[in-house]
Each structure stands twice: as C-alpha cells, then as structure tokens.
Amino acid sequence: MPFGDDLGHTARPATPIYWRETGDRDPLMPANCGRIVSVRGSVVDVKFETDLPPINTLLRAGTAKIEVWAQLDAHRVRGIALTPTQGLARGMSVEDTGGPLKAPVGNSILGRMFDVFGSAMDGNPEPTGVQWRSVHRFPPPLKDRSSKSEIFTTGIKAIDVLVPLERGGKAGLFGGAGVGKTVLLTEMIHNMVGRHDGVSLFCGIGERCREGEELYREMKEAGVLPKMVMIFGQMNESPGSRFRVGHAALTMAEFFRDDEHREVLLLIDNIFRFIQAGSEVSGLMGQMPSRLGYQPTLGTELSALQERIANTDRGAISSIQAVYVPADDFTDPAAVHTFSHLSATMVLSRQRASQGLFPAIDPLQSISKMATPGIVGREHYDLAREVRRTLAQYSELKDIIAMLGLEQLSLEDREVVARARRLERFLTQPFFTTEQFSGISGKTVSLRDSLDGCERILRDEFKDYPEKALYMIGAIDEARNAA
C-alpha cells in the first residue's frame, strides 16, 4: 500500500520498494522491530528480519527518531536521525512506527510555535483537537490550480510599485547577511493580518533560537499571533530535522488553503538553509557531490517543496522566501536553482542599507513577472518604468558626480538626480516591527497612494522640498508636514 495524502492522491514510489504490503498488517500501526547495526554521526543503519520499512518511514529508538532514506538490502535500511544520536548503540531495539513523519493541522494550532515533530515549543500545553497528516504530500494537480493572475498587495511602497507580488506565487528575498531580510518578512506578517485577514505561517529553517524567541514575543505584542503559526528547525538541530521542517510547514499551510479556504502567507527564512541541510544529508548518505559541493539532487528536492506552493480554486498559499546568497554571489547553484521557481525577486542592497534606505530593495536588480500592462494595468506599468529609468540614469551619473561634482552636470541631468534622490527617499518606509528601534510609527501605504506619490515626484511637484521631508514617510502628503 503506497503512501498517499489526505486529498486522496496516491504517491508514486520513490524506489522499486517504497511500501511493501505484508499480509493483513495495517501499515499505520506499529508492527515490527529491528536492531541498530551501526551509528555514524547522524547516519543509523538498522536491520529488520521481516517487514522492511519503506522509504520515509519514521523509526523510533528510545527517544531518538530516525527517518528511513535508503534500503540497503532485503534486511537493512539506512536512516538519518532527526534528533541527537547520543545514547544510541549497536544492538539497540528500533521500533517501526508504521508511517512517515506527521505534522498537526487544525485551527487550534493558530498562535502556537512548533518544532518539526509538531511538539509545542512555546511552553503552553499541547494543542487539542488536531489531525496528524503526513509531511510527504504531492502538489495540487493542474486541474485544481487557478490560471488567473492576481496581485498580492503588501502595503510596502517599494514592493507594490516596482516588484508587485503574485497571489499564490513565490517571491524571493535575496541578500547577504545583515541587510534586513528577517525584518522585511516580519513586517509582511503584520500587514497580512491587517490587510487580507488571512493566516500567516512562519517557517524558520536553520534559525537561531534567539530570533525565534524575539519573533514570537514581537508578534504577540503586535497582536497578530492569533492569526499565525510558527514552526522552527533550529540551527543546532540535526540536518535531517532542518531539512524536513519546510515540508511540515507546508502541510500546515495546505490545511488552511484546502480545508479552511483561506489566504495563507508562508514566510520561509531561510530557503538556503533548506538547501544546505539537504547538502549535509546528501554527504552523510555518501552521495557524490555536484558543483561547488552541493547535492546532485538539489533541483529535485527544491522542486518537491516549491511546487506545493500554489493558487487553487479553494484558496492560495503566497510565499515569500528569504534567500541567503553565499558571498553575495548570484551565480551560486543555490541562488540559481531558487530563481527558477520565483515569480518575483527582491534583491536587498548592502549599499542602500549602509545609506539608511530601508527597506534596502535594489530597484534596478529586483524584478517581477507580474509587472506587465495586462496584469497591473498600463498606468502602473508606465509609471514603474519611468521610476526605474530615472533611478538608472542617476546610477550612471554617480561616477561623474563623484569625480567632478554635481555642478558639472547639465541642467537636465541635475533635474534627473533631484528626482531620483527624492524617489529613493520616498520609497523608504517606517515599519511596525522596528518602532522600538527607530522611534517612528510604522505605516502601511495603499497602492494608489504609492503610485500617486511617485507620479507627483516625477512631475517635480516636490522639487522645492528638502529631500529629508520625503524620508521615512507613508503617503506623499505627509511630506508637507515633515517640511
């Protein structure tokens, strides 16, 4: 009996022996036991005399949990420990749980924080009235997917004007360390609840425990915790645990989309850590490394996760994924493979962050497939192009300004520089999640107000205003008060 999922889809076998039916035994009931043959780091070999467990079966040895990754022969399986292996020894009994790793789903998981096994991490009692579903599920079939392209507004000017996001799509947040990826994600959570009345799901892959605790506290203080779920695979946990936490998060998100018919915003921080965990597991399993040491199955593993994020006739999962770029090298295989799945890419610039232009989105490198006249409309499309053109001209003039000074430019070029600098400052925005640090109240801005502000700056309506009057404001009319 092959693994399936709760929507009735039947899983295709990953190997010739994926699930072997044995008599009348119920595959969901714990049945046989084996013995540990060897323990090498997180790799555990187990011998079973009968009923060899299928791939992805969860095994239990004392308090340790092991997931089957390979069947070595008719009696031995090789698994990756999802928990620390201290205390495991040769000859120790191993119980076959009879099923894969499962995640809890239900309305009672809202406002809670979980680990990869579905255990509560927030110090409160375990949630009641939940269902447990396999984390190994297939993407929705093509006939159930929505073919309509819709815009997902965020209330953040730089994103809504220049990099519009797709409802049910995947957007990447690219940047090195310390340029504001996590801050931007937490602001998205805040705005999702206020603007769309949906459910936010934060998946921390390889996160520091400090970040998880701070996020939980901040979301609680902001009053958005009742509409969100958090699941973490911490940095100190085994690679198997960090690799599976993304699948567990998607299982939870799919419940709210398919069963509750709600809008879901899935934030993943950081998708590079998912790839990194897969690379560690691949090395532990003895697979031949591919380019730059990544696993040969990188494309397949990433696709299995990304294709589950989709817009269906029942609801939509919109995803924003932080992508750490190693050494700011966008030709790294992890960045290249991630690019192929995204409908929008937001590149965070270290140079803009150093100038205090937050969010530090680079308008010239960030792109969106939704920015076409047929989707966003001709007015929005033309205005966004004009903003980009102005900023691109300013970028080209920066070298001349640095060498000769602003006075050596023609009058026309000086006007371009003035518009571009005001646009850069208008596209900054105070965030709700940084109020305690900046002392500035957070603001959300409608798409209409954002477009109106850019258009009026391009018409030189604010050329007599100081640049700082446009810095860290919401709608453009606030500039008059700031001036």
Side-chain angles (χ1 to χ4, degrees), residues 300-372:
T300 307
E301 291 171 357
L302 190 60
S303 298
L305 185 79
Q306 298 279 16
E307 289 302 305
R308 291 170 65 180
I309 302 169
N311 183 5
T312 71
D313 51 9
R314 295 181 292 271
I317 300 176
S318 304
S319 175
I320 300 172
Q321 306 168 13
V323 186
Y324 168 69
V325 182
D328 291 344
D329 178 14
F330 285 90
T331 63
D332 188 89
V336 170
H337 278 272
T338 305
F339 264 120
S340 63
H341 293 279
L342 305 176
S343 58
T345 57
M346 293 175 280
V347 178
L348 299 186
S349 161
R350 194 175 301 280
Q351 182 182 8
R352 292 176 69 84
S354 66
Q355 294 171 352
L357 300 174
F358 292 105
I361 295 171
D362 189 325
L364 302 181
Q365 291 192 61
S366 304
I367 57 171
S368 170
K369 296 176 183 175
M370 306 299 287
T372 62

Side-chain angles (χ1 to χ4, degrees), residues 105-118:
V105 298
N107 282 310
S108 58
I109 69 172
L110 287 170
R112 305 299 303 273
M113 183 194 294
F114 299 96
D115 63 12
V116 69
F117 303 107

Side-chain angles (χ1 to χ4, degrees), residues 156-158 161 352 357-359 383 387 391 418-430 445-458 462 466-479:
I156 299 173
K157 293 180 286 190
V161 173
R352 292 176 69 84
L357 300 174
F358 292 105
L383 188 60
V387 169
L391 294 173
R419 289 187 205 113
R421 289 180 63 85
R422 282 164 175 76
L423 280 171
E424 282 185 335
R425 278 145 186 80
F426 175 66
L427 292 175
T428 63
Q429 189 166 338
V445 185
S446 68
L447 176 60
R448 184 66 262 163
D449 286 343
S450 301
L451 294 173
D452 179 57
C454 292
E455 185 177 13
R456 290 167 70 181
I457 290 172
L458 290 170
F462 292 87
E467 292 174 1
K468 65 179 182 180
L470 297 162
Y471 180 67
M472 285 295 171
I473 62 172
I476 192 68
D477 289 332
E478 294 180 24

